[in-house]
Amino acid sequence: MNQKIELQAEIPLEAAGKRLDQVLAQLFPDYSRSRLQEWIEKGFVKINGELKRARDKVKGGEQVEILAELETVSSWTAEDLPLEIIFEDEDLLVINKPTDFVVHPAAGHAGGTLVNALLHYAPQLAELPRAGIVHRLDKDTTGLLVIAKTIFAHNKLGAALQMREVEREYEAIVQGVMPAGGTLTAWLDRHSHDRKKRTVVEAGRGKEAITHYRVIQKFRAHSHLQLKLETGRTHQIRVHMAHLNYPILGDRTYGGRLRLPPNAEPGFLQMLREFPRQALHAKRLSLIHPRTGESMSWESPLPSDMQALLLALKADLARSQK
């Protein structure tokens, strides 16, 4: 069942000449400008009883009436699943997501997801879009994820992500010896033949995606990288690294042919072949608290599988240098 939204206000006289969506964002700060634009487009907003466009200018003194609905997740089932909570207050919940954990229920994953766990831990999240989740991690990517617990926080965080004000730092182990770091700006869109995949397209198509990366350590056939997202597109890091010809180790979708260092020990080679997921971890998350304005940051250590992989890579490098 969706949450009904009923709002009324009078446009102040000093707002004369401003765009309707801009004025509504000031009148109703609990809701993002993009959401208000969507409501205007859908006809949920009336000005003096009439429908208007987002770009229409106001005169001041008009009566605003909004009758809208927020899609909630009450149809999804709450499940008692473990959550590693890093931080919590009345507005935010920061968790450390393990591998093999789907974020949203979907075809083939109706249960056992992060949303199911969140609805059990905090049932009030059923009243928020997507149970308060404002960004996501792939099923096999580990690390930090922030969830909004109030509609106020949900809209503020959504706006902050759009304005690129949320900092997300990752670590990855990629195939190939990367000579140096840099920045990749490459537009992403759905793959023409496989709609579950993303691919790099010419500028202006799809969505702009920007990834900053630097080399932490080089190995014989691999590199340990730090990556920062300026945008947060689906599969962004995985597609960008594959586009640079340094795909993430263990990525079954974008990884391509496995690259093995010559004359390595059999046990190490087996470890590389059998690494069960993309070696990608959301290590650091920084944002401005939506209510207090405080600058906040959290870190998550590399999970044990990536730590073990790095130790094995370092041991192989040392062995080759003897």
Side-chain angles (χ1 to χ4, degrees):
M1 182 175 172
N2 293 345
Q3 179 184 0
K4 294 186 180 298
I5 304 295
E6 298 183 9
L7 303 169
Q8 292 181 336
E10 180 178 311
I11 295 177
L13 294 175
E14 57 268 26
K18 293 183 178 180
R19 285 175 55 112
L20 175 60
D21 56 352
Q22 180 184 1
V23 175
L24 294 186
Q26 295 171 347
L27 288 174
F28 307 109
D30 282 358
Y31 302 93
S32 66
R33 187 168 174 176
S34 60
R35 187 179 299 282
L36 290 164
Q37 288 171 337
E38 178 186 348
W39 287 349
I40 293 170
E41 184 178 340
K42 290 183 176 179
F44 297 160
V45 180
K46 290 186 177 180
I47 308 299
N48 287 343
E50 298 181 355
L51 299 178
K52 299 289 185 179
R53 298 170 300 180
R55 66 175 183 270
D56 287 344
K57 301 295 194 295
V58 302
K59 297 178 180 178
E62 299 99 322
Q63 298 298 315
V64 179
E65 182 182 25
I66 299 178
L67 298 175
E69 290 187 347
L70 280 178
E71 182 183 357
T72 61
V73 295
S74 55
S75 61
W76 293 342
T77 305
E79 296 182 38
D80 187 5
L81 302 171
L83 290 173
E84 184 182 348
I85 297 171
I86 305 298
F87 172 85
E88 183 176 15
D89 66 7
E90 65 176 13
D91 287 298
L92 302 181
L93 184 64
V94 178
I95 68 153
N96 191 26
K97 188 185 90 62
T99 187
D100 196 25
F101 200 18
V102 175
V103 172
H104 292 109
H109 295 284
T113 73
L114 175 59
V115 164
N116 301 112
L118 289 172
L119 293 177
H120 180 270
Y121 178 77
Q124 72 272 20
L125 292 177
E127 300 302 316
L128 297 181
R130 295 179 175 271
I133 293 172
V134 292
H135 68 114
R136 61 186 293 273
L137 295 175
D138 295 332
K139 173 190 172 188
D140 289 326
T141 298
T142 55
L144 297 173
L145 195 67
V146 62
I147 294 98
K149 293 176 63 180
T150 62
I151 190 63
F152 173 82
H154 189 274
N155 290 318
K156 290 290 187 181
L157 287 176
L161 282 162
Q162 286 185 347
M163 296 298 292
R164 304 179 183 180
E165 295 171 348
V166 177
E167 294 184 11
R168 288 162 290 173
E169 180 182 305
Y170 292 70
E171 287 193 17
I173 299 166
V174 301
Q175 300 198 75
V177 182
M178 183 176 283
T183 295
L184 176 63
T185 300
W187 295 63
L188 301 181
D189 202 355
R190 288 185 183 272
H191 195 281
S192 58
H193 302 302
D194 186 344
R195 305 301 287 172
K196 294 181 179 180
K197 294 175 64 175
R198 297 299 191 275
T199 187
V200 171
V201 295
E202 63 184 35
R205 288 181 51 206
K207 295 181 178 180
E208 183 185 34
I210 303 172
T211 305
H212 307 281
Y213 55 95
R214 75 172 184 87
V215 178
I216 298 175
Q217 187 173 2
K218 302 175 186 179
F219 303 102
R220 289 208 292 149
H222 300 83
S223 303
H224 180 198
L225 304 184
Q226 177 195 72
L227 307 107
K228 290 185 178 181
L229 289 180
E230 192 167 321
T231 55
R233 311 305 182 194
T234 301
H235 299 177
Q236 177 173 323
I237 291 176
R238 298 166 63 191
V239 178
H240 271 183
M241 290 301 102
H243 181 68
L244 290 173
N245 201 29
Y246 297 99
I248 296 176
L249 178 68
D251 192 334
R252 301 295 185 264
T253 302
Y254 304 104
R257 182 182 176 185
L258 186 63
R259 305 175 196 177
L260 301 173
N263 304 316
E265 289 196 342
F268 172 59
L269 295 177
Q270 182 179 2
M271 184 181 196
L272 293 176
R273 291 190 180 99
E274 296 180 357
F275 197 77
R277 67 178 183 98
Q278 63 263 12
L280 180 62
H281 176 69
K283 184 178 182 180
R284 187 170 177 269
L285 176 70
S286 301
L287 52 81
I288 302 299
H289 193 284
R291 193 175 299 275
T292 68
E294 179 186 358
S295 179
M296 308 191 77
S297 184
W298 302 273
E299 288 199 16
S300 165
L302 285 176
S304 58
D305 59 352
M306 286 184 65
Q307 289 187 37
L309 182 57
L310 283 172
L311 287 174
L313 287 164
K314 291 174 183 178
D316 173 72
L317 178 62
R319 191 177 302 113
S320 70
Q321 294 172 340
K322 288 182 179 178

